[in-house]
PDB file of all heavy atoms in Angstrom:
ATOM      1  N   THR A 256     107.664  61.992 146.285  1.00 91.00           N
ATOM      2  CA  THR A 256     106.692  61.665 147.304  1.00 91.00           C
ATOM      3  C   THR A 256     105.878  62.810 147.722  1.00 91.00           C
ATOM      4  O   THR A 256     104.623  62.743 147.840  1.00 91.00           O
ATOM      5  CB  THR A 256     107.470  61.086 148.588  1.00 91.00           C
ATOM      6  OG1 THR A 256     108.255  59.988 148.188  1.00 91.00           O
ATOM      7  CG2 THR A 256     106.553  60.664 149.630  1.00 91.00           C
ATOM      8  N   LEU A 257     106.524  63.989 147.876  1.00 93.00           N
ATOM      9  CA  LEU A 257     105.778  65.236 148.262  1.00 93.00           C
ATOM     10  C   LEU A 257     104.778  65.551 147.120  1.00 93.00           C
ATOM     11  O   LEU A 257     103.611  65.851 147.438  1.00 93.00           O
ATOM     12  CB  LEU A 257     106.767  66.326 148.431  1.00 93.00           C
ATOM     13  CG  LEU A 257     106.076  67.655 148.825  1.00 93.00           C
ATOM     14  CD1 LEU A 257     105.348  67.632 150.116  1.00 93.00           C
ATOM     15  CD2 LEU A 257     107.139  68.810 148.843  1.00 93.00           C
ATOM     16  N   LEU A 258     105.282  65.399 145.926  1.00 92.00           N
ATOM     17  CA  LEU A 258     104.375  65.692 144.783  1.00 92.00           C
ATOM     18  C   LEU A 258     103.133  64.783 144.786  1.00 92.00           C
ATOM     19  O   LEU A 258     102.025  65.206 144.617  1.00 92.00           O
ATOM     20  CB  LEU A 258     105.161  65.538 143.459  1.00 92.00           C
ATOM     21  CG  LEU A 258     104.771  66.471 142.302  1.00 92.00           C
ATOM     22  CD1 LEU A 258     104.902  67.939 142.706  1.00 92.00           C
ATOM     23  CD2 LEU A 258     105.688  66.176 141.120  1.00 92.00           C
ATOM     24  N   ARG A 259     103.365  63.480 145.084  1.00 90.00           N
ATOM     25  CA  ARG A 259     102.277  62.564 145.062  1.00 90.00           C
ATOM     26  C   ARG A 259     101.288  62.829 146.192  1.00 90.00           C
ATOM     27  O   ARG A 259     100.064  62.587 146.105  1.00 90.00           O
ATOM     28  CB  ARG A 259     102.778  61.120 145.154  1.00 90.00           C
ATOM     29  CG  ARG A 259     103.395  60.607 143.866  1.00 90.00           C
ATOM     30  CD  ARG A 259     103.494  59.137 143.826  1.00 90.00           C
ATOM     31  NE  ARG A 259     104.345  58.650 144.865  1.00 90.00           N
ATOM     32  CZ  ARG A 259     105.663  58.427 144.668  1.00 90.00           C
ATOM     33  NH1 ARG A 259     106.227  58.653 143.513  1.00 90.00           N
ATOM     34  NH2 ARG A 259     106.362  57.962 145.639  1.00 90.00           N
ATOM     35  N   MET A 260     101.877  63.267 147.350  1.00 93.00           N
ATOM     36  CA  MET A 260     100.972  63.602 148.478  1.00 93.00           C
ATOM     37  C   MET A 260     100.183  64.848 148.264  1.00 93.00           C
ATOM     38  O   MET A 260      99.021  64.971 148.641  1.00 93.00           O
ATOM     39  CB  MET A 260     101.744  63.696 149.795  1.00 93.00           C
ATOM     40  CG  MET A 260     102.146  62.281 150.326  1.00 93.00           C
ATOM     41  SD  MET A 260     102.612  62.307 152.029  1.00 93.00           S
ATOM     42  CE  MET A 260     104.169  63.174 151.999  1.00 93.00           C
ATOM     43  N   ILE A 261     100.769  65.817 147.578  1.00 94.00           N
ATOM     44  CA  ILE A 261     100.026  67.007 147.240  1.00 94.00           C
ATOM     45  C   ILE A 261      98.883  66.694 146.257  1.00 94.00           C
ATOM     46  O   ILE A 261      97.766  67.144 146.407  1.00 94.00           O
ATOM     47  CB  ILE A 261     100.980  68.049 146.537  1.00 94.00           C
ATOM     48  CG1 ILE A 261     101.925  68.665 147.562  1.00 94.00           C
ATOM     49  CG2 ILE A 261     100.178  69.149 145.865  1.00 94.00           C
ATOM     50  CD1 ILE A 261     103.018  69.513 147.015  1.00 94.00           C
ATOM     51  N   SER A 262      99.189  65.743 145.356  1.00 92.00           N
ATOM     52  CA  SER A 262      98.132  65.421 144.341  1.00 92.00           C
ATOM     53  C   SER A 262      97.068  64.514 145.024  1.00 92.00           C
ATOM     54  O   SER A 262      95.950  64.599 144.572  1.00 92.00           O
ATOM     55  CB  SER A 262      98.760  64.631 143.160  1.00 92.00           C
ATOM     56  OG  SER A 262      99.014  63.311 143.563  1.00 92.00           O
ATOM     57  N   GLY A 263      97.429  63.703 146.000  1.00 90.00           N
ATOM     58  CA  GLY A 263      96.563  62.831 146.618  1.00 90.00           C
ATOM     59  C   GLY A 263      96.630  61.409 146.152  1.00 90.00           C
ATOM     60  O   GLY A 263      95.817  60.621 146.512  1.00 90.00           O
ATOM     61  N   THR A 264      97.610  61.055 145.350  1.00 89.00           N
ATOM     62  CA  THR A 264      97.766  59.637 144.959  1.00 89.00           C
ATOM     63  C   THR A 264      98.339  58.861 146.011  1.00 89.00           C
ATOM     64  O   THR A 264      98.309  57.642 146.011  1.00 89.00           O
ATOM     65  CB  THR A 264      98.637  59.477 143.642  1.00 89.00           C
ATOM     66  OG1 THR A 264      99.885  60.080 143.953  1.00 89.00           O
ATOM     67  CG2 THR A 264      98.013  60.156 142.475  1.00 89.00           C
ATOM     68  N   GLU A 265      98.972  59.535 147.017  1.00 89.00           N
ATOM     69  CA  GLU A 265      99.571  58.795 148.111  1.00 89.00           C
ATOM     70  C   GLU A 265      99.038  59.399 149.410  1.00 89.00           C
ATOM     71  O   GLU A 265      98.956  60.614 149.544  1.00 89.00           O
ATOM     72  CB  GLU A 265     101.022  58.913 148.019  1.00 89.00           C
ATOM     73  CG  GLU A 265     101.794  57.849 148.683  1.00 89.00           C
ATOM     74  CD  GLU A 265     103.309  57.883 148.378  1.00 89.00           C
ATOM     75  OE1 GLU A 265     103.692  57.629 147.226  1.00 89.00           O
ATOM     76  OE2 GLU A 265     104.055  58.125 149.293  1.00 89.00           O
ATOM     77  N   ASP A 266      98.685  58.544 150.361  1.00 89.00           N
ATOM     78  CA  ASP A 266      98.190  59.034 151.652  1.00 89.00           C
ATOM     79  C   ASP A 266      99.360  59.334 152.592  1.00 89.00           C
ATOM     80  O   ASP A 266     100.373  58.556 152.623  1.00 89.00           O
ATOM     81  CB  ASP A 266      97.332  58.029 152.378  1.00 89.00           C
ATOM     82  CG  ASP A 266      95.890  57.952 151.717  1.00 89.00           C
ATOM     83  OD1 ASP A 266      95.680  58.817 150.865  1.00 89.00           O
ATOM     84  OD2 ASP A 266      95.153  57.121 152.109  1.00 89.00           O
ATOM     85  N   PRO A 267      99.322  60.479 153.347  1.00 91.00           N
ATOM     86  CA  PRO A 267     100.402  60.631 154.399  1.00 91.00           C
ATOM     87  C   PRO A 267     100.297  59.584 155.488  1.00 91.00           C
ATOM     88  O   PRO A 267      99.149  59.059 155.649  1.00 91.00           O
ATOM     89  CB  PRO A 267     100.178  62.034 154.914  1.00 91.00           C
ATOM     90  CG  PRO A 267      98.823  62.449 154.451  1.00 91.00           C
ATOM     91  CD  PRO A 267      98.403  61.507 153.376  1.00 91.00           C
ATOM     92  N   THR A 268     101.393  59.370 156.202  1.00 92.00           N
ATOM     93  CA  THR A 268     101.333  58.433 157.343  1.00 92.00           C
ATOM     94  C   THR A 268     100.512  59.084 158.474  1.00 92.00           C
ATOM     95  O   THR A 268      99.649  58.511 159.142  1.00 92.00           O
ATOM     96  CB  THR A 268     102.719  58.092 157.880  1.00 92.00           C
ATOM     97  OG1 THR A 268     103.438  57.560 156.731  1.00 92.00           O
ATOM     98  CG2 THR A 268     102.674  57.077 158.947  1.00 92.00           C
ATOM     99  N   SER A 269     100.717  60.411 158.666  1.00 92.00           N
ATOM    100  CA  SER A 269      99.844  61.219 159.471  1.00 92.00           C
ATOM    101  C   SER A 269      99.877  62.649 158.976  1.00 92.00           C
ATOM    102  O   SER A 269     100.668  63.015 158.167  1.00 92.00           O
ATOM    103  CB  SER A 269     100.301  61.091 160.955  1.00 92.00           C
ATOM    104  OG  SER A 269     101.542  61.741 161.116  1.00 92.00           O
ATOM    105  N   GLY A 270      98.920  63.438 159.512  1.00 93.00           N
ATOM    106  CA  GLY A 270      98.795  64.826 158.981  1.00 93.00           C
ATOM    107  C   GLY A 270      97.930  64.847 157.774  1.00 93.00           C
ATOM    108  O   GLY A 270      97.349  63.853 157.363  1.00 93.00           O
ATOM    109  N   ARG A 271      97.855  66.047 157.168  1.00 92.00           N
ATOM    110  CA  ARG A 271      96.987  66.137 156.016  1.00 92.00           C
ATOM    111  C   ARG A 271      97.397  67.231 155.037  1.00 92.00           C
ATOM    112  O   ARG A 271      98.187  68.115 155.391  1.00 92.00           O
ATOM    113  CB  ARG A 271      95.514  66.346 156.451  1.00 92.00           C
ATOM    114  CG  ARG A 271      95.318  67.648 157.278  1.00 92.00           C
ATOM    115  CD  ARG A 271      93.855  67.811 157.757  1.00 92.00           C
ATOM    116  NE  ARG A 271      93.013  67.982 156.608  1.00 92.00           N
ATOM    117  CZ  ARG A 271      91.673  68.284 156.804  1.00 92.00           C
ATOM    118  NH1 ARG A 271      91.216  68.388 157.995  1.00 92.00           N
ATOM    119  NH2 ARG A 271      90.976  68.522 155.784  1.00 92.00           N
TER     120      ARG A 271
END
Side-chain angles (χ1 to χ4, degrees):
Chain A
T256 301
L257 179 62
L258 214 57
R259 286 198 297 271
M260 282 197 290
I261 289 173
S262 77
T264 55
E265 204 170 294
D266 284 353
T268 306
S269 64
R271 60 185 292 188

